[in-house]
Amino acid sequence: MYVCSCFGITEQQVKRHAEDGACTPRQIASACKAGTDCGSCVRRIQAILGRGACPRRDLADQGMPVLSDLPAATGLEAA
């Protein structure tokens, strides 16, 4: 099912980015542009992400890269 009609992003793609470390709608947007055009999908993205703990949130709050396809400068191993 499509989450972001503007960019053709599916729920599975959002979940994959979340598994790779995207903890917020902004990080999802950085990974695939979802939520950056009309913004109507941002609440759905938030619902998919849920409110659970994100082990990489501290890194994100510090402005450090957290997605697994970025250089390993964070010291985290890819999942």
Side-chain angles (χ1 to χ4, degrees):
M1 176 166 81
Y2 285 102
V3 172
C4 177
S5 299
C6 297
F7 293 104
I9 305 300
T10 65
E11 185 172 336
Q12 289 297 25
Q13 288 172 296
V14 171
K15 287 180 180 179
R16 191 173 335 119
H17 290 302
E19 289 170 2
D20 288 342
C23 300
T24 66
R26 182 174 288 175
Q27 292 171 348
I28 294 292
S30 293
C32 64
K33 291 188 172 182
T36 62
D37 194 26
C38 76
S40 66
C41 61
V42 174
R43 288 184 186 212
R44 177 72 182 133
I45 292 169
Q46 181 63 53
I48 292 168
L49 296 174
R51 301 263 181 199
C54 179
R56 299 176 186 167
R57 189 170 310 276
D58 290 338
L59 292 174
D61 289 343
Q62 296 170 17
M64 297 177 70
V66 294
L67 297 177
S68 64
D69 59 343
L70 295 175
T74 62
L76 293 175
E77 295 179 14

